[in-house]
Amino acid sequence: QVEVSESGGGLVQAGESLRLSCTASGTFVRISTMGWWRQAPGKGREWVATVGDGGYSEYASFVNGRFNIHMDPELSTMYLQMNDLESEDSAHYYCKVKYLYGQENFASSDAWGQGILVSVSA
């Protein structure tokens, strides 16, 4: 079983920055990808960014160069640096970890964090 813990949320003003962290712990062979999703009040959950253990990263179009995601595989930790935040970025942010487990025939599974709140005032 894998547990996911998130930190770094809070209240900031528009134009300021926040750094979110996500750490996976428990029993797994390795992490394939780590990513962030978000959900604003009254809206569905939407994907924000993903980083792979090989170093690749990808972002939703609304990020528009403002965020940077990277992962430290040895610490099983991912960071999302969010700059130039806008009020539209206000949401609960959820970390998703895709990991491999097993002993011979590895299987893949996902684990989610509880979510952290990011509030951006205009």
Side-chain angles (χ1 to χ4, degrees):
Q1 186 174 353
V2 171
E3 294 186 352
V4 178
S5 60
E6 302 136 325
S7 62
L11 172 63
V12 296
Q13 294 184 335
E16 294 184 340
S17 300
L18 276 176
R19 189 177 81 156
L20 305 183
S21 300
C22 170
T23 298
S25 61
T27 304
F28 54 90
V29 174
R30 70 177 179 89
I31 294 173
S32 299
T33 64
M34 300 181 80
W36 288 99
W37 293 66
R38 70 184 189 184
Q39 186 166 15
K43 295 185 178 181
R45 190 171 294 191
E46 64 178 351
W47 169 70
V48 178
T50 298
V51 61
D53 63 348
Y56 85 90
S57 60
E58 51 185 351
Y59 302 87
S61 58
F62 62 76
V63 169
N64 200 24
R66 300 178 296 130
F67 299 173
N68 180 269
I69 189 171
H70 71 277
M71 180 169 65
D72 186 335
E74 293 189 5
L75 298 178
S76 300
T77 298
M78 166 189 61
Y79 306 95
L80 181 69
Q81 177 67 40
M82 302 189 295
N83 301 318
D84 193 20
L85 284 162
E86 305 168 350
S87 57
E88 292 78 12
D89 294 316
S90 296
H92 277 90
Y93 283 69
Y94 298 88
C95 176
K96 177 184 175 182
V97 178
K98 182 176 289 294
Y99 63 94
L100 298 179
Y101 67 96
Q103 294 184 336
E104 294 183 355
N105 298 316
F106 297 146
S108 177
S109 186
D110 296 336
W112 288 86
Q114 299 275 356
I116 51 175
L117 181 61
V118 172
S119 295
V120 184
S121 61

